[in-house]
Structures are given as C-alpha cells and as structure tokens.
Amino acid sequence: MDLIVEYQAQLIAGTVMTIRLALTSLFIAVILGLLGAWAKLSNSRVAGFIANVYTTLIRGVPDLVLIMLVFFGGQVTINAIGAATGLWGYIDISQFIAGAGTIGLIFGAYFTETFRGAIMAIPTGQIEAGISCGMRRSLIFRHIIWPQMVRFALPGFTNNWLVLVKTTALVSVIGLQDLVYNAFTAGRSTRQLFTFMFATLVIYLLLTAVSDVLLRALERRYNRGVVRTN
Amino acid sequence: MDAVLSYIPLDITLIAENFDRFLYGVWTTLVLTFLALLVGGLFAIPMAIARASKHWLLNPIIWSFTYVFRGSPLLVQTYLIYFGLGQFEAVRESWLWDPILSSAWWCAFIAFSLNTAAYTTELLRGSIVDTPSGEVEAAIALGHSYYKRLRRVVLPSAFRRMIPAYSNEVIFMLHGSVIASTITLQDILGVGRWLNGRYYLAYEGFITAALLYFLIVLCITQLFRLLERRYLPHLRERDTTTDSAPLPGSIR
Amino acid sequence: MIDAPALQVNDLYKSFGDNAVIKGVSMDASRGDVISILGASGSGKSTFLRCLNLLETPDSGDVFLAGEKMAMKRNRRGHQVPVDIRQVEKMRSRMAMVFQGFNLWSHMTVLDNVLEGPIYVQNVAKAEAKEKAYAMLERVGLSDRAKYYPAHLSGGQQQRVAIARALVMEPDVMLFDEPTSALDPELVGEVLEVMSNLAKEGRTMLVVTHEIAFARDVSTKTVFLHQGEICEEGPPDEILKSPKTEQLTTFLSRLS
C-alpha cells in the first residue's frame, strides 16, 4: 500500500492517459459508427458493400494485430507515400494517434451495428404520424428519430464503451504510457508486480463501474415514458 | 509470376520461407484458445446454474468473480498471473511454481480460462433464466426431479438458445489470445512480431498474422452457422408450401 | 383401497400474501368422472388445479390420489412442504396436466415431447415407449407430425400433442387447465373433440374451462367456483339449466 502511495503520481498520470485515449477513440468510433450505419441503411449498393467489408474485416482481425499494423506499418507506409509524392516530409505517428485511431476504427464497426439496430427499431408508424402532422424532415429527425435512436442505442453504447475502455490496455504493448504501462514499470522497478497489477485491475474496475452507473442513469432518463414489458 | 509478385509491396518470399513457423503459431493459438474455451466452459456450467438458482452462498461469490473478470482487461489479468504471482516467495517455492506458474503458456491458459469462464457463466445464466416458465412447469408436472429437469429440459434448451451469442464469445477469445504474444509465446501474432524483428520488416508479419486470424474467424463463423442449423431448427421458419417436404429433424 | 376415489381433495386453502385465493375447497372424483370447473377469472380455478400437483403449494388441505395421500409437513417457518419430494414427483407423473399455453418443449420434436415421460420418468424401454408414443399421436390424429417441432404446428395441433404427452403416461387423473383459452376460435373444436373422446373412454378428468357446451355435454359433474369457494356443484344439466345462486346466474348470463 505504501508503494502505491509512493507511485501514485505515475498511476494517476497513467489513468488520465487511459481515459484520454478511451475518449478520443470513442469520438472516432461514434463518427465512424454513424457513417457506417448510414451506409448500411442507405440505398447505395457501393456504400453498403464498403460498410459490410469494413465490419467483417474488423470482426476478423484481433485488435492488437491492427494496432501493431497501424503503428509499425502505417508509419512506414505514410512516409513512403510522402517520399514518393513529395507531398509531405517525415511524419511520426505517435503511440497515442496509432492507438486512438485503431481503437476508433475497431469500435466504429461495433457502433455501426449498434446504431443501425437502433435506427431500425424506430417504428415507421411514428415517422408517418409526424409526416401526417405536417412536420418537416428536420423536425422529424430532431424530435422523433434522434431521441428514440439514442434510447435504443444506449444499451449497446454502454456495452461498447465498457469493452473499449478495457481494449485501451493493449496500447501499452506498443509503449503508450497508459495505466498498464506505468503500473508495469513501477512494479518492475520495485519488484512488486502483483501489487501494481492488482491496483491496475482495481482502477479498471472503478472506471467500468463508474461508467456503468452514469450510463445506466442516462438510459433511465431516456427511457421515461416507456413501459417495461418484462 | 515474378513480375506479378514484384507489384505486391510485401516480401512474399520471406513469408513463404517462414510459413512453417506461422503454421506452428496457428497451432499454438488454436490450442490455447480452444482449451481455454473448453475448460472455462466446463467451469461455467455449474457456476451459471448456481447463479440462476440464486444460491444464497454461491451466487454472490460467483457474481463477484464474473464481475472482476468481466470488468478488467484480459491483459491485466494475464500480467497479474504471469508477472504478479512471482512476487510471493510462497508461490515461488510451492510445487506449482516450477511446472506451471513460471510457464508463460500455463499462465496464459489459466488467465484465458478464467476470463472465458466469467463471460460464459453470465451468458449461460441469462439463457437459463430466459427458459420459458411454462416449459419448466410442464417438466415439473410430468414428474421430473430438479436435476432431471435441468438435464433434460432447462440446459438443452438454454445451450441451444445460447449458440448465437456464444459464437461472439469464441471470436472474442480468439482475439484475446493475441495477448499470449505479450508474454513471450509464439502464437500467430508472436510469429509475426518475430518475423518483423528478425528481418527488420514493417508489416509483413502483421499482415500475414491478420490474414491467418481472419481465416480462422471465417471458419468459426461457418462452424456456428452449421451448429445453428443443426440445433436451432425449432427457431427457423418452416417451409409451409410443401407440407410433406423433408422434416426439419431429418436435415443433417 | 380399491374403492378409494381416483382423486380426493379435502379442505384446500391457498393464499398469495394477503390475498386468499382458495378458501376451503373439497372435491371427490370417482374413476371415470369428468368434472368441469367453471368460474370467472380470479375465482381461483386455475390455482386450485395447480395446487393438486403442487405447482403451487397449498397452505393447508389434503390431496389423495387413488387413496394415497400426498404427504406434507410444516417447515420451521410454518409453510407446508412435501415430506418426500420423490413421492410428490411420483404422484405428479400419475396426474398428467395439460396447460393453457401448451408448454411443449420447443427444442424437442413432437415425438420427443411425447417420449420424455415414458423414457425418463417411467423408465420404459425405448422401443416400447416409441410404440406407445406413436399410438398416442395416432389417437390425437398427429402421427404424421411426429418429426415436426412444436413451433411449426398450429395451436390446436400443439395442444393435441400436449394431450398425447399427458395421455402416454397412462395417468390416473388428467388435469386440464383452460386447454382451449389460448386457441383461435376455429381451432377450439379439434381439441374439444379429442377431449370428448377421452371422456367417453372413461378417463378421469378435471377440466378448468370456459366452454359451457363442453361442461354441459361431456362432463359428469360441474363445479362452479366463486371467490375461492365452491358456490354450486352438481350434474351439469341441473345446475347449468337452473342455477340456484345469483352468482352462477350472472356468470352464465354473461357468457351467452
């Protein structure tokens, strides 16, 4: 316990990095997810095909493989393109960008499915009712589609977020100084790896528990006026 | 052929030369993943039953177990076992240390098994709880005892209904198994990393690994499609146009 | 013991919390009796039936099946519990139940549904059980559906399978809990027909139902439950044609 206190600055810095990474990834994932859902529901065959390839590929390849591919391979590729075209000079992809980009890309696929399901769950009758009231498209979206989509998407969103937070731990493998990395370094130098890894585990549990409580409260807010049938 | 190959920005020859290593990596990955799924799954069955029946003592204990293992990263769990346990002299001097707890393979296997046991417990618990109460009552009224009910009606029904969700767990476990490479094991990703390190390559090893994982996921998806056809015929729409057509039970 | 009634119920009480649902109901069924139990919803008729095979545990009262008493005792909290769950299971297997919602096991074929009892409760040899099961399916007119799954049958067919599943146990008493209430009107007839045939064979049956015609034409005795008590009972043509109580008169007038 004394050791944890001694190294608390390192642990806190790591936790902050983990949260920053998770939120950045989430931001990218939500945007990709909305795009993907739009593509899958659109009438465009090409967009639907691309979205399907995207989600299938992501489901087929483990997160850490993609992270390493982007971090080690992406760097070389981008600089090779830069050198060949002369458009840009040497670019350094940081662990943070590689991690957030890849995790965002991965969870974008999961959010695609979440959002697609949420939009499809809205009864068409309600949209027709809006039209028959003379509501304009933008009004229908803001007042009917969006609030219900949020409601239907929230449980999936919560779940994706909880998995995402845990996935960020993998970025420590490519050297990002997140919670796992800092705890591991501290544990190694003090020869107390169990203590530090256990503390890490507890911090992750706290992060997921707090997220869970907050997001469930949000779910309840959006579920007002909905009778539970089971 | 060489002309074609030269357009591909990958060093195919190097991959081909080391392909036997990759195959060995595939073997390591598959054995780790599926042994963990098997052992974790076997542990999950009694735990799910205890959770579903709200056993006064076991339920809170098992809930805590699944909460911890589902709420924290598999990487941290693996590190805790592989790097962490050695902190204690008692562990280092026990009989478990030499053959098991000092070995990366065993530590990965233990961590993966515990992790999938936690997820599978909750999946199966949900499936058991969702068993239609009327079907359980019919089994009671027939004269089945508690265990026969479980064995003949509740579990077979719950297992079947769980198949689609369990396919996700299998794929997630395969994805999670790459963590083995972070504790020195030569699984698929481990070989990929080795190849890149050995020949100073940027992505050949990772691309090959990604392809191999992708193929395995395809096989798993296909396998589960077959399982669903075989075990979930009662949830499929039946073809009503030809009433004397082959019966669902006889489609193999 | 040979003269013991097929089923005898003495002074049964059951409440859910503060809500007393069955308040001292007694009933005798001799071999071959078909007793229809009528009553408005909330009169406790289904609960009564479910107390007989202990799907609900009665607060007090005795149930005898062919003279054998279902042995109950009180636990520390004063609740009735079975003395020997084995005996209860054995007795349940001798009074087969047909449910309102059919409750066929959805993951088993029709044949497996019917085979379950003989093979796994009565330990009948597989070949013999199969023969019996097919005979029962023949009786309800569904032997050509043996390999189907319940979800692929109509409601009426499902209920007939459920009757075959009950019948194959060769029970002393058959309990029917509103067997036609969940059916589309056009499917009610086929189920009632199967039940009438069973009655003609001399099966002992307790039927909770809303079908007045069935009560009048098929049953040997009719019981009218009102607020957890027997309000009127007797031969169907007597009590249905000239009800003595106001409650039964109101009940009948609402139905027609």
Side-chain angles (χ1 to χ4, degrees), chain A:
Chain A
M1 204 61 212
D2 292 344
L3 273 176
I4 302 284
V5 177
E6 198 183 321
Y7 281 87
Q8 61 170 318
Q10 225 168 317
L11 290 180
I12 291 171
T15 308
V16 170
M17 176 60 88
T18 292
I19 295 172
R20 265 182 57 201
L21 178 67
L23 288 175
T24 314
S25 312
L26 178 73
F27 181 73
I28 299 170
V30 167
I31 290 176
L32 286 174
L34 287 171
L35 279 175
W38 167 79
K40 282 203 171 185
L41 292 173
S42 77
N43 292 323
S44 156
R45 280 221 184 144
V46 182
F49 177 76
I50 293 173
N52 272 332
V53 170
Y54 168 48
T55 50
T56 313
L57 273 179
I58 293 298
R59 195 177 148 84
V61 182
D63 1 31
L64 188 57
V65 178
L66 283 175
I67 292 172
M68 290 189 162
L69 193 60
V70 170
F71 182 61
F72 295 110
Q75 176 109 347
V76 173
T77 311
I78 286 184
N79 285 317
I81 295 173
T85 57
L87 287 178
W88 56 78
Y90 182 79
I91 292 176
D92 188 36
I93 300 186
S94 71
Q95 285 97 340
F96 187 86
I97 293 175
T102 319
I103 294 176
L105 186 73
I106 293 167
F107 282 83
Y110 296 117
F111 277 108
T112 296
E113 300 298 350
T114 306
F115 293 145
R116 189 180 74 108
I119 292 172
M120 293 205 324
I122 299 171
T124 47
Q126 297 193 6
I127 295 165
E128 285 166 6
I131 295 171
S132 67
C133 287
M135 290 165 79
R136 263 179 292 125
R137 279 176 69 104
S138 60
L139 192 65
I140 289 176
F141 184 80
R142 270 185 299 135
H143 280 188
I144 298 172
I145 298 182
W146 178 255
Q148 300 210 68
M149 187 188 121
V150 171
R151 175 161 70 84
F152 288 127
L154 260 176
F157 181 94
T158 305
N159 195 42
N160 289 346
W161 163 252
L162 294 177
V163 181
L164 186 151
V165 170
K166 289 179 274 170
T167 302
T168 59
L170 292 175
V171 181
S172 67
V173 177
I174 57 168
L176 181 74
Q177 297 185 357
D178 73 336
L179 175 57
V180 179
Y181 187 96
N182 283 2
F184 190 80
T185 328
R188 181 122 75 179
S189 57
T190 54
R191 299 184 158 275
Q192 302 281 316
L193 266 167
F194 189 89
T195 316
F196 279 94
M197 278 301 124
F198 191 75
T200 309
L201 189 111
V202 171
I203 294 173
Y204 272 105
L205 285 180
L206 284 175
L207 286 180
T208 46
V210 170
S211 318
D212 205 35
V213 168
L214 291 180
L215 286 164
R216 300 269 177 243
L218 204 62
E219 275 176 40
R220 268 197 301 280
R221 235 179 77 90
Y222 270 94
N223 269 330
R224 278 181 308 193
V226 181
V227 180
R228 291 211 175 270
T229 45
N230 47 358

Side-chain angles (χ1 to χ4, degrees), chain C residues 40-89:
Chain C
S41 58
S43 61
K45 53 194 193 309
S46 280
T47 305
F48 172 71
L49 210 64
R50 292 164 59 84
C51 279
L52 301 184
N53 63 356
L54 250 56
L55 280 178
E56 308 287 356
T57 312
D59 300 337
S60 65
D62 297 321
V63 176
F64 295 85
L65 186 65
E68 184 184 344
K69 186 180 171 190
M70 196 174 274
M72 303 293 278
K73 63 180 183 194
R74 300 216 168 262
N75 67 7
R76 272 173 301 159
R77 272 179 263 167
H79 296 149
Q80 273 219 127
V81 288
V83 172
D84 175 12
I85 190 71
R86 290 275 156 73
Q87 190 221 6
V88 172
E89 285 158 11

Side-chain angles (χ1 to χ4, degrees), chain C:
Chain C
M1 276 304 184
I2 293 168
D3 295 314
L7 183 78
Q8 188 183 351
V9 185
N10 287 342
D11 213 19
L12 197 82
Y13 281 84
K14 171 72 186 173
S15 51
F16 295 108
D18 292 336
N19 183 17
V21 182
I22 305 287
K23 299 176 253 184
V25 173
S26 302
M27 199 177 284
D28 277 8
S30 306
R31 215 144 299 205
D33 269 356
V34 177
I35 301 181
S36 45
I37 302 169
L38 306 175
S41 58
S43 61
K45 53 194 193 309
S46 280
T47 305
F48 172 71
L49 210 64
R50 292 164 59 84
C51 279
L52 301 184
N53 63 356
L54 250 56
L55 280 178
E56 308 287 356
T57 312
D59 300 337
S60 65
D62 297 321
V63 176
F64 295 85
L65 186 65
E68 184 184 344
K69 186 180 171 190
M70 196 174 274
M72 303 293 278
K73 63 180 183 194
R74 300 216 168 262
N75 67 7
R76 272 173 301 159
R77 272 179 263 167
H79 296 149
Q80 273 219 127
V81 288
V83 172
D84 175 12
I85 190 71
R86 290 275 156 73
Q87 190 221 6
V88 172
E89 285 158 11
K90 188 110 188 144
M91 288 179 80
R92 278 172 176 156
S93 75
R94 291 165 52 201
M95 43 179 155
M97 189 173 225
V98 175
F99 298 84
Q100 178 177 358
F102 330 133
N103 296 355
L104 295 176
W105 298 300
S106 55
H107 62 288
M108 297 184 195
T109 60
V110 162
L111 182 63
D112 288 335
N113 265 280
V114 181
L115 282 174
E116 183 69 21
I119 295 183
Y120 295 96
V121 177
Q122 296 172 327
N123 297 316
V124 174
K126 223 170 200 161
E128 192 191 331
K130 230 173 191 165
E131 206 170 300
K132 277 175 74 177
Y134 268 109
M136 293 307 149
L137 285 173
E138 189 74 49
R139 285 270 286 286
V140 298
L142 287 170
S143 51
D144 60 329
R145 295 290 188 272
K147 292 281 166 66
Y148 280 51
Y149 284 90
H152 302 137
L153 299 179
S154 73
Q157 290 173 327
Q158 290 191 49
Q159 193 61 297
R160 278 147 65 198
V161 174
I163 292 174
R165 175 174 73 178
L167 207 52
V168 78
M169 302 293 285
E170 294 172 354
D172 295 333
V173 179
M174 294 183 80
L175 310 175
F176 291 84
D177 185 8
E178 303 199 30
T180 56
S181 299
L183 295 175
D184 292 333
E186 72 271 20
L187 300 176
V188 170
E190 59 187 83
V191 173
L192 289 181
E193 193 193 318
V194 170
M195 288 169 63
S196 312
N197 289 338
L198 294 180
K200 277 181 215 144
E201 279 170 24
R203 300 262 166 195
T204 315
M205 297 159 65
L206 259 63
V207 186
V208 169
T209 185
H210 289 294
E211 297 290 334
I212 298 295
F214 178 85
R216 188 183 54 225
D217 303 338
V218 180
S219 58
T220 55
K221 186 173 159 191
T222 299
V223 175
F224 174 66
L225 278 187
H226 183 72
Q227 292 181 353
E229 286 170 296
I230 293 184
C231 183
E232 233 177 289
E233 60 184 317
D237 8 294
E238 264 177 45
I239 77 161
L240 292 177
K241 268 184 202 134
S242 44
K244 294 191 189 73
T245 59
E246 198 183 313
Q247 288 90 340
L248 182 55
T249 315
T250 324
F251 176 75
L252 291 172
S253 69
R254 280 201 191 130
L255 283 178
S256 51

Side-chain angles (χ1 to χ4, degrees), chain B residues 144 147-154 156, chain C residues 107-108 116 120:
Chain B
H144 269 336
Y147 287 104
K148 242 183 197 164
R149 221 142 74 208
L150 214 53
R151 212 179 67 221
R152 294 287 314 158
V153 174
V154 178
Chain C
H107 62 288
M108 297 184 195
E116 183 69 21
Y120 295 96

Side-chain angles (χ1 to χ4, degrees), chain A residues 56 59-62 68-69 72-73 76-77 166 169 172-173 184 192-195 197-198 201 204-205 208-209, chain B residues 67-68 70-73 75-76 79-80 83-84 87-88 119 168 171 175 178 182 189 193 202-203 206 213-214 217:
Chain A
T56 313
R59 195 177 148 84
V61 182
M68 290 189 162
L69 193 60
F72 295 110
V76 173
T77 311
K166 289 179 274 170
S172 67
V173 177
F184 190 80
Q192 302 281 316
L193 266 167
F194 189 89
T195 316
M197 278 301 124
F198 191 75
L201 189 111
Y204 272 105
L205 285 180
T208 46
Chain B
Y67 189 85
V68 169
R70 281 156 26 105
S72 60
L75 182 76
V76 175
Y79 281 6
L80 190 68
F83 297 113
Q87 176 181 326
F88 305 105
Y119 281 97
N168 284 331
I171 289 168
H175 283 195
V178 296
T182 67
L189 179 58
R193 292 171 76 176
Y203 38 82
F206 299 136
Y213 282 113
F214 189 76
V217 168

Side-chain angles (χ1 to χ4, degrees), chain B residues 148-177:
Chain B
K148 242 183 197 164
R149 221 142 74 208
L150 214 53
R151 212 179 67 221
R152 294 287 314 158
V153 174
V154 178
L155 286 180
S157 168
F159 283 145
R160 282 159 209 255
R161 277 177 286 112
M162 184 177 122
I163 292 174
Y166 190 64
S167 78
N168 284 331
E169 170 56 18
V170 171
I171 289 168
F172 275 123
M173 201 60 239
L174 178 77
H175 283 195
S177 76

